[in-house]
Amino acid sequence: MIAVEERQVWYVAYGSNMHAARLAWYIGGGCPPGGRRTYPGCRDPRPPSRSVPVSLPGGIYFAGESRAWTGGMAFYDPQLPGVAAARAYLVTVEQFTDIAAQEMYRPAADTEDLVPATDAAIDAAVADGRATLGPGRYETLVCPGSHGGVPMLTFTAPVPASAVRFHPPAPIYLGMIARGLRESHGWPAERIADYLAGRPGIADGWSPDAVTDLVVEVLAAG
C-alpha cells in the first residue's frame, strides 16, 4: 500500500510560540512551568519537521487577558505599520488544526470535526488572504504568503488593533517571546528589547528600561 502524503503548512507564530519549548506543550500536552493551563496536545505528537525565521508585513499588539499567563495576549494585525518578527514551523494540517483548537479553547473532542473546516479555511485564506473559523480570539486565519511553495498561516483576532483596548503582557509571557526572538532570529538583547518596547500594548504597562531589564535577565538565564 502506498502511503498518502500528508498535507503540510507553515504554522507562523508571532507570540510566545516562537519559543520552541513553549510550542512543545501544544504538541505534546501538559502544563508548562508557571502556566495556569493544561494542554491536551496534538493527536500527532511529532515535533515540527522544520522551523525558519520569517518577517510579516504589519505588526503585533497586546490586548485581552490570557487565561494561561494573565496579562495581555499577542495578536497580529497586517494593517499595522512596520514588520512583525515571527517563526514558521512546518507541520501537518492535522497538527495545525490541533494547535488552533487549543488556542481557541475548543474541547479536545471537537478537533476531529475541525480538520475538514480548517482544511477548507486554509484554502480560503490562501485564495483571499483571510478566512474565519469562528467569532472568538485566534479564530481568524491569515495567510501572509508562502515559503518554499508551502502556505504560511497564522491566526489572530477578528478585529484590527484600532478597535481594541490594549493591555500589557505579563513578565513570563513577554520573556517567552524574547526567548523565541533570540532562538529564531538570533537578535541580541538590545534589538529584542527595542522591538518589544515599541509594540502597542506594552507601553501601557512597561517602560523601555523595564523591557530591557526583563529581556537581559531572561536571556542571561538561558
Side-chain angles (χ1 to χ4, degrees):
M1 179 182 294
I2 300 176
V4 177
E5 186 175 353
E6 296 174 299
R7 184 184 185 187
Q8 292 185 308
V9 297
W10 291 102
Y11 159 51
V12 179
Y14 51 82
S16 60
N17 279 346
M18 284 193 289
H19 183 31
R22 164 69 168 133
L23 179 64
W25 294 100
Y26 278 84
I27 294 175
C31 181
R36 297 185 173 192
R37 182 183 174 201
T38 299
Y39 297 90
C42 294
R43 287 163 290 175
D44 178 355
R46 290 176 298 173
S49 52
R50 286 181 60 198
S51 77
V52 294
V54 294
S55 298
L56 309 179
I60 65 169
Y61 64 92
F62 293 83
E65 178 75 18
S66 172
R67 300 185 202 175
W69 309 108
T70 73
M73 302 169 289
F75 295 99
Y76 170 60
D77 184 350
Q79 301 305 315
L80 282 173
V83 174
R87 185 177 192 174
Y89 297 93
L90 192 60
V91 298
T92 67
V93 168
E94 181 186 271
Q95 287 177 313
F96 180 82
T97 300
D98 289 348
I99 293 168
Q102 291 174 89
E103 286 279 29
M104 295 186 290
Y105 285 82
R106 298 284 185 94
D110 286 359
T111 56
E112 189 75 40
D113 294 335
L114 195 58
V115 172
T118 304
D119 213 21
I122 288 171
D123 290 337
V126 170
D128 303 327
R130 194 177 186 93
T132 301
L133 284 167
R137 65 175 201 174
Y138 297 128
E139 295 193 18
T140 296
L141 197 60
V142 175
C143 177
S146 63
H147 180 80
V150 178
M152 298 191 299
L153 296 150
T154 192
F155 22 80
T156 188
V159 296
S162 59
V164 304
R165 181 177 181 180
F166 299 135
H167 188 192
I172 189 170
Y173 185 64
L174 199 58
M176 285 186 180
I177 297 176
R179 288 189 178 98
L181 288 167
R182 167 63 67 82
E183 285 178 3
S184 56
H185 290 262
W187 290 356
E190 294 78 8
R191 183 172 180 182
I192 293 171
D194 286 346
Y195 171 79
L196 292 176
R199 301 308 97 192
I202 290 182
D204 293 79
W206 292 81
S207 69
D209 286 344
V211 174
T212 298
D213 290 345
L214 174 75
V215 170
V216 170
E217 179 181 354
V218 164
L219 297 183

